[in-house]
């Protein structure tokens, strides 16, 4: 008598048309209700014995730091967050100042351009009129340059604000952990 392995028995199931279907999976029977295409007449659903229930997974534990968060560590993180916010504020002020300068430069360039255009329409072209048009062009370029620097400063301010928000969130997280580690801490009140 040939040896029949339990694995080969477990890997065989019956379909609705009572045709024996071997699983394509090596050691596991196909799940109940799987549609197979062994039969050219119609797709079949596998009928199986219900498998033993799986053990419920444990809920994941929150990872706690290996060391307790001390008051000194917490205060250092708060200082770091405050420094990050101060840098972000300075960067934002710089971006706003550059933006204001760019706006003023654009308005001045527009006035100079209107004067140059009006001068060009009057009579013949002269060196004075060409110099006025050149001044309008340079003013426009200067305003564009300041605007570009203002946009870069605004992007830097956004980046620094993001870093500051992350530092603040980390300090809040550390405060919560500190209060768990040291419930009688002076920071609890």
């Amino acid at each position: 008598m040939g040896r029949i392995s339990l694995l080969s028995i477990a890997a065989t199931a019956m379909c609705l048309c009572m045709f024996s279907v071997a699983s394509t999976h090596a050691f596991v029977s196909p799940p109940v209700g799987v549609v197979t295409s062994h039969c050219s007449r119609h797709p079949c659903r596998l009928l199986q014995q219900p498998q033993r229930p799986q053990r419920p997974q444990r809920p994941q534990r929150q990872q706690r730091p290996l060391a307790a968060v001390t008051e000194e560590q917490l205060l250092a993180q708060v200082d770091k967050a405050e420094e990050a916010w101060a840098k972000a504020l300075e960067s934002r002020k710089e971006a706003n100042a550059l933006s204001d300068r760019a706006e003023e430069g654009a308005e001045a360039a527009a006035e100079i351009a209107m004067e140059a255009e009006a001068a060009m329409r009057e009579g013949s072209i002269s060196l004075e009129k060409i110099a006025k048009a050149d001044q309008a062009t340079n003013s426009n370029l200067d305003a564009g340059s300041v605007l570009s620097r203002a946009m870069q400063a605004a992007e830097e301010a956004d980046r620094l604000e993001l870093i500051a928000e992350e530092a603040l969130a980390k300090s809040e997280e550390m405060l919560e952990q500190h209060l768990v580690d040291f419930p009688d801490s002076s920071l609890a009140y």
Side-chain angles (χ1 to χ4, degrees), residues 15-19 38-39 41-42 44-45:
C15 74
L16 290 174
C17 64
M18 304 312 258
F19 182 79
H38 71 276
C39 186
R41 291 174 292 190
H42 62 282
C44 299
R45 292 200 177 272

Side-chain angles (χ1 to χ4, degrees), residues 123-185:
S124 64
I125 296 176
S126 67
L127 237 71
E128 185 180 304
K129 292 177 183 178
I130 292 175
K132 193 72 164 172
D134 191 40
Q135 182 185 8
T137 302
N138 288 339
S139 296
N140 243 346
L141 290 174
D142 291 343
S145 173
V146 172
L147 180 61
S148 176
R149 289 194 335 242
M151 289 173 58
Q152 288 174 348
E155 289 173 0
E156 178 67 10
D158 290 343
R159 185 185 72 79
L160 291 173
E161 285 174 358
L162 183 63
I163 289 170
E165 286 176 9
E166 289 172 355
L168 179 63
K170 185 173 180 182
S171 66
E172 289 173 350
E173 217 174 85
M174 288 177 74
L175 174 62
E176 289 176 11
Q177 186 60 46
H178 174 74
L179 294 177
V180 168
D181 295 337
F182 303 99
D184 58 340
S185 170

Side-chain angles (χ1 to χ4, degrees), residues 18-39:
M18 304 312 258
F19 182 79
S20 178
V21 179
S23 170
T24 58
H25 303 291
F27 299 108
V28 181
S29 295
V32 174
V34 170
V35 177
T36 65
S37 60
H38 71 276
C39 186

Side-chain angles (χ1 to χ4, degrees), residues 4-18:
I4 298 177
S5 153
L6 289 177
L7 293 177
S8 64
I9 293 172
T12 303
M14 297 296 286
C15 74
L16 290 174
C17 64
M18 304 312 258

Side-chain angles (χ1 to χ4, degrees), residues 78-126:
V78 169
D79 288 341
K80 183 178 175 182
E82 287 175 350
E83 288 172 11
W85 277 112
K87 286 180 184 178
L89 178 62
E90 286 303 313
S91 183
R92 182 62 63 196
K93 285 180 181 179
E94 179 187 349
N96 289 343
L98 285 171
S99 179
D100 291 343
R101 277 185 45 205
E103 184 179 3
E104 291 168 2
E107 288 172 358
E111 287 178 24
I112 294 171
M114 287 180 7
E115 290 172 8
E117 184 181 356
M120 288 295 215
R121 289 187 181 174
E122 296 175 1
S124 64
I125 296 176
S126 67

